Amino acid sequence: MPQKIISPSLLAANFGKLDEACQIINNSEAEWLHIDVMDGVFVPNISFGFPVMEAVRKASTKPLDVHLMIVHPEKYVERFVDAGAFSVGFHLEAVEDPRPILKLIRDKGAKTCLTINPDIPVELLYPYLEEIDMALLMSVFAGYGGQKFIPETYQKLDALRNEIDKRNLSTLIQIDGGVNTANAPELFKRGADSLVAGSAVFSAEDPIKTIKMMKE
Ligand code: DX5
Ligand code: ZN
């Protein structure tokens, strides 16, 4: 049964007031807090790393859902679990073989997530669906917040939902990029379990209400 998990992306928060941003999310109906880590190599942008994540861990009462947009995730996944990640995701197209990296994450006791950019066929995730906790479909190209939702994501979502249901798996589906109150209901209806929303939440006049509206 699909769930409705909102994971606001901290990337869109005011970094001068991270504590305040965490408080807002703590007081909201969001289930998780999404942490976007960029290395300037896998994606052109650089965001933040362990020290920020540790500060956020202290300020946030929500499970931290970490999205690594980095090359060589195998070097860092364990440290992200130590820094407080409850789930660690990395890009399939960033690695040769995701299996040993998934094992590193699992052995540390965290949830696993595999993600793909919009130009990667969704079928490439199918061999791993049994062994991951979540599959993340990017609905914008990873690298920046505030981009426009790519509508082709709907077809990928339909295909993935169908495959997971057909095989009777409990793998969650997350959608990330350009999610807002207008497309969230459709994404949940089509079987997404979790939605990441950055600018839609943090640029809103009332982030708490916006999160609530996404679930309706
Ligand atoms: C994009 C990040 C997303 C992004 C979402 O590289 O992975 O999580 O912060 O931001 P919005 O919701 O603004 O598209
Ligand atoms: Zn993300």
Side-chain angles (χ1 to χ4, degrees):
M1 187 58 186
Q3 318 176 35
K4 287 188 180 180
I5 300 166
I6 302 289
S7 193
S9 167
L10 202 65
L11 191 65
N14 177 350
F15 283 13
K17 295 183 175 174
L18 274 185
D19 250 19
E20 216 172 88
C22 290
Q23 290 312 320
I24 292 170
I25 304 308
N26 290 348
N27 292 326
S28 79
E29 286 175 28
E31 280 76 8
W32 300 343
L33 183 59
H34 187 79
I35 306 291
D36 284 305
V37 178
M38 306 178 184
D39 67 353
V41 182
F42 179 68
V43 290
N45 204 8
I46 298 180
S47 57
F48 50 76
F50 302 112
V52 172
M53 164 103 184
E54 277 156 16
V56 170
R57 176 63 293 164
K58 287 186 193 126
S60 178
T61 56
K62 306 287 180 178
L64 304 183
D65 148 36
V66 174
H67 174 196
L68 299 178
M69 288 159 273
I70 65 173
V71 296
H72 295 300
E74 71 279 2
K75 289 189 191 168
Y76 302 104
V77 289
E78 291 166 297
R79 279 185 70 191
F80 276 103
V81 180
D82 289 336
F86 105 101
S87 165
V88 180
F90 60 93
H91 278 255
L92 178 62
E93 65 272 28
V95 301
E96 256 174 49
D97 180 7
R99 288 204 164 93
I101 312 170
L102 294 170
K103 183 170 181 336
L104 286 177
I105 300 169
R106 239 187 340 258
D107 287 352
K108 284 291 270 185
K111 303 278 185 202
T112 54
C113 172
L114 254 190
T115 181
I116 52 169
N117 259 314
D119 59 343
I120 306 293
V122 66
E123 292 77 19
L124 294 189
L125 286 174
Y126 292 180
Y128 309 103
L129 292 178
E130 247 112 42
E131 52 200 292
I132 58 178
D133 295 293
M134 185 161 77
L136 163 53
L137 300 179
M138 290 304 298
S139 38
V140 301
F141 280 89
Y144 298 93
Q147 304 180 73
K148 213 172 148 281
F149 180 87
I150 298 173
E152 283 75 24
T153 311
Y154 287 124
Q155 283 80 57
K156 286 171 105 173
L157 169 57
D158 291 347
L160 185 58
R161 179 78 269 158
N162 190 39
E163 184 69 19
I164 289 172
D165 291 350
K166 194 174 79 190
R167 286 157 63 179
N168 227 340
L169 300 173
S170 53
T171 320
L172 300 180
I173 303 178
Q174 187 176 59
I175 306 290
D176 180 6
V179 173
N180 52 39
T181 51
N183 55 24
E186 178 70 12
L187 289 163
F188 278 135
K189 200 175 116 206
R190 290 172 100 124
D193 302 283
S194 169
L195 303 180
V196 175
S199 11
V201 168
F202 286 103
S203 306
E205 213 163 290
D206 189 341
I208 292 185
K209 192 168 155 212
T210 303
I211 290 166
K212 197 182 170 67
M213 280 167 67
M214 286 181 174
K215 293 169 159 248
E216 279 160 5

